[in-house]
Amino acid sequence: MTHQRLLSFTVCDPKLVSFPMHLLLQNPPTPAKPLCSSSLNDSYLILGSCNGLLCLYHIPRCYVALWNPSIRFTSKRLPTGLSPGEGFSTFHGFGYDAVNDKYKLLLAMRVLGETVTKIYTFGADSSCKVIQNLPLDPHPTERLGKFVSGTLNWIAPKMGVSDEKWVICSFDFATETSGQVVLPYGDRDNVCKPVINAVRNCLCVCFFDSRKAHWAVWLMKEYGVQDSWTKLMVIPRFVQEDSWPWKLIPHD
């Protein structure tokens, strides 16, 4: 725990600060002082992080690179092939391909009305190639894909369905192919305002159940295995009950 850090990027005065996690988890928490402060001017965008590495996009020069803030190491720059102002990111994600022992970035850019999706591979044999027909249109609700078990994941409206349905779109870094993860059975037809994230190195989804009128939090304990979806808790509507204005009900 003492080696884990929380990284925070400040906007007004662009810099990256690092805090030791054990100070933030004490009860009461000890006010944490930055362990280090590294200048990141407003020319950079952070496209993701994995295993202590940050994936950066340099806006004026249109290249991507990896940066280790602990040892101040910067990887080889990979040009995006764009000109300044030519395109903007529609969705992206960064992670580790354990099968091929490579760090990779998936970056989709909107250029002249068309979406161009590329995958960048970092290392001694760095490369970039175009990924064709990636089925992430309509676009995900959030740009940043959540990295879980070698895959990137986004929540998006399901294509070809008139009423509001949702699906988790995935991209496998090892095979460089796309797929879908189905939401938990029973609740998936009543999903409103879904959000996904990575919790305990597992895929997690939180959404409002329109039929039961409560929030539900589910965790996929084994990635890609539908039966491993486990409901962690439900959060009911705010209802006055005795002296409690609201309550949180854990779900076994």
Side-chain angles (χ1 to χ4, degrees):
M1 181 65 71
T2 58
H3 298 291
Q4 293 184 343
R5 305 285 180 84
L6 174 66
L7 294 176
S8 177
F9 181 68
T10 59
V11 178
C12 297
D13 180 19
K15 64 178 62 175
L16 189 74
V17 293
S18 174
F19 298 91
M21 284 291 292
H22 71 283
L23 294 181
L24 301 179
L25 298 178
Q26 290 177 347
N27 189 18
T30 300
K33 297 181 179 180
L35 293 180
C36 66
S37 177
S38 305
S39 296
L40 275 182
N41 59 45
D42 54 8
S43 296
Y44 288 96
L45 288 177
I46 299 177
L47 298 182
S49 63
C50 181
N51 297 337
L53 294 176
L54 296 181
C55 185
L56 304 178
Y57 174 63
H58 193 275
I59 302 172
R61 297 184 181 179
C62 298
Y63 68 77
V64 292
L66 302 187
W67 183 50
N68 187 325
S70 297
I71 61 176
R72 312 296 171 86
F73 169 79
T74 303
S75 73
K76 177 183 177 181
R77 300 174 180 177
L78 295 181
T80 62
L82 299 173
S83 300
E86 183 178 15
F88 62 92
S89 172
T90 57
F91 53 88
H92 57 268
F94 172 66
Y96 177 62
D97 173 3
V99 175
N100 299 295
D101 190 25
K102 298 290 184 182
Y103 284 94
K104 295 181 177 180
L105 166 71
L106 182 75
L107 180 62
M109 303 291 287
R110 194 73 175 171
V111 182
L112 301 177
E114 295 184 0
T115 300
V116 179
T117 305
K118 296 182 179 180
I119 185 164
Y120 299 84
T121 301
F122 297 92
D125 53 346
S126 299
S127 64
C128 171
K129 67 179 182 180
V130 176
I131 300 295
Q132 300 287 352
N133 303 319
L134 191 65
L136 285 178
D137 193 12
H139 297 312
T141 57
E142 295 183 4
R143 293 185 179 184
L144 178 61
K146 307 304 180 183
F147 179 71
V148 177
S149 298
T151 68
L152 293 175
N153 299 269
W154 300 263
I155 190 80
K158 193 171 183 179
M159 299 174 60
V161 180
S162 57
D163 53 346
E164 190 176 36
K165 304 293 183 180
W166 298 89
V167 68
I168 297 175
C169 301
S170 68
F171 181 83
D172 190 305
F173 271 133
T175 62
E176 298 185 357
T177 56
S178 60
Q180 292 185 350
V181 177
V182 180
L183 292 176
Y185 291 127
D187 284 356
R188 62 184 181 184
D189 293 333
N190 312 304
V191 172
C192 294
K193 302 179 180 179
V195 177
I196 64 169
N197 216 320
V199 176
R200 305 174 192 165
N201 296 318
C202 297
L203 190 63
C204 180
V205 61
C206 175
F207 56 82
F208 183 76
D209 187 314
S210 60
R211 182 172 61 86
K212 300 177 182 177
H214 65 220
W215 288 88
V217 181
W218 290 80
L219 187 76
M220 179 174 263
K221 292 187 175 181
E222 186 176 352
Y223 184 83
V225 178
Q226 181 68 25
D227 292 339
S228 71
W229 277 116
T230 302
K231 185 177 285 188
L232 295 184
M233 64 179 65
V234 296
I235 306 173
R237 294 177 298 177
F238 292 159
V239 178
Q240 187 72 28
E241 181 173 310
D242 298 328
S243 59
W244 293 92
W246 62 275
K247 61 181 179 178
L248 182 64
I249 303 177
H251 189 93
D252 295 331

